[in-house]
């Protein structure tokens, strides 16, 4: 019997994923779930046919150049691939895949949670009750911003953006979006298209970011763009920290331009930006958009489907 391809699984994936991977491949699994150095990625590339990484492993151009020619495919356990220099990997002849579709609902849920929590002052309210400081109540106490029936602007109407739009519609929100191209009426589902951010931002009482981090979108939400939002807007980011100029966001929070922000992504991960911690009106989560059992199983299986196709001599469904 021909030997099985060797796959390095860089992080602790779901039990079901690891079980299937161990059954179908010769695996090297990072049971300790530690983060790897670039040197480790280079070292492992000489020992395996495939790497199944997460967005925490950075395949920069410099690193890719050093990868061993044994490595044939990087089957990402993520939809975002901003951690991979795709051009460098293609030049090296390494196939790259991702896991679209399967995490859209879970990520959109977190965007809804952040939007609601930021608007309705969840951080402050929780802290007051939790620390025994709740000694007062009045109709003027802890008044927030109502989500249902409000207007929301979505930047990036891909699969996650569309899932978020469906949920926002369920809250009776007036949904507007900016995307590189207009969606079909079926996918648009009643949302209003804007050809530019300049058109979308001034009416986005709530703003939710759902586009990938690319050279064009990095730092997209800068001081100028925050200035274009309505006073008292709420911004939510479940996409990538790199989309936001965090100093500009802090200024917008300080000045009161923004009522609140909900963040699942930060420029620096893991860790985030300690400056946000001084704001009660910033609701933060540690990049857990896709962190449900069902979705993590689906992501793992999708990555394995891509490996299966590749090693069967076919084009993987999610080849980039
Ligand atoms: C993704 O899939 O891109 C999520 O951010 C988790 O990595």
């Amino acid at each position: 019997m021909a030997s099985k391809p060797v796959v390095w699984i860089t992080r602790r994936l779901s039990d079901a994923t690891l079980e299937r991977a161990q059954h179908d491949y010769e695996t090297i699994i990072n049971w300790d779930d530690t983060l790897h150095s670039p040197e480790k990625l280079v070292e492992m590339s000489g020992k395996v046919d495939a790497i199944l990484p997460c967005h925490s492993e950075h395949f920069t151009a410099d690193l890719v150049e050093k990868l061993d020619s044994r490595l044939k495919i990087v089957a990402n356990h993520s939809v975002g691939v901003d951690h991979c220099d795709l051009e460098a990997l293609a030049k090296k002849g390494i196939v790259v895949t991702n896991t679209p579709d399967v995490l859209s609902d879970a990520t959109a849920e977190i965007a809804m949670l952040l939007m609601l929590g930021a608007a309705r002052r969840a951080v402050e309210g929780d802290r007051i009750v939790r620390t025994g400081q709740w000694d007062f109540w009045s109709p003027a106490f802890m008044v927030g911003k109502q989500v249902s029936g409000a207007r929301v602007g979505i930047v990036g109407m891909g699969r996650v953006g569309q899932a978020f739009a469906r949920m926002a519609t369920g809250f009776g929100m007036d949904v507007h979006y900016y995307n590189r191209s207009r969606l079909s009426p079926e996918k648009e589902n009643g949302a209003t298209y804007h050809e530019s951010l300049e058109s979308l931002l001034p009416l986005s009482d709530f703003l939710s970011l759902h586009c990938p981090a690319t050279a064009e979108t990095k730092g997209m939400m800068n001081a100028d763009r925050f200035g274009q939002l309505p006073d008292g807007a709420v911004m939510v980011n479940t996409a990538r920290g790199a989309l936001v100029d965090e100093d500009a966001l802090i200024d917008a929070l300080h000045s009161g331009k923004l009522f609140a922000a909900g963040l699942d992504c930060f420029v620096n991960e893991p860790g985030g930006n300690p400056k946000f911690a001084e704001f009660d009106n910033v609701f933060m989560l540690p990049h857990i958009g896709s962190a449900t059992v069902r979705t993590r199983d689906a992501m793992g299986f999708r990555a394995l489907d891509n490996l299966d196709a590749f090693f069967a001599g076919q084009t993987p469904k999610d080849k980039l």
Side-chain angles (χ1 to χ4, degrees), residues 255-268:
S255 69
K257 175 69 184 175
L258 286 188
F259 178 78
L263 307 172
D264 186 45
C265 298
F266 303 84
V267 170
N268 179 40

Side-chain angles (χ1 to χ4, degrees), residues 50-72:
I51 301 184
L52 202 165
C54 296
H55 76 269
S56 47
E57 278 76 52
H58 295 264
F59 290 85
T60 60
D62 279 357
L63 181 135
V64 170
E65 213 168 283
K66 296 180 196 139
L67 293 176
D68 194 278
S69 58
R70 174 163 181 188
L71 179 68
K72 296 292 180 292

Side-chain angles (χ1 to χ4, degrees), residues 113-176:
L113 173 66
L114 289 172
M115 181 168 67
L116 289 162
R120 300 302 302 272
R121 304 172 64 169
V123 173
E124 202 180 341
D126 179 83
R127 184 176 46 72
I128 290 171
V129 181
R130 190 181 292 272
T131 59
Q133 292 176 64
W134 184 28
D135 54 4
F136 176 77
W137 189 92
S138 119
F141 173 62
M142 289 276 313
V143 173
K145 191 174 163 94
Q146 185 142 339
V147 169
S148 47
R151 199 160 43 194
V152 62
I154 298 176
V155 181
M157 198 66 149
R159 301 170 190 88
V160 182
Q162 288 171 46
F164 176 77
R166 282 194 297 277
M167 294 180 193
T169 303
F171 272 72
M173 298 188 88
D174 178 16
V175 180
H176 293 246

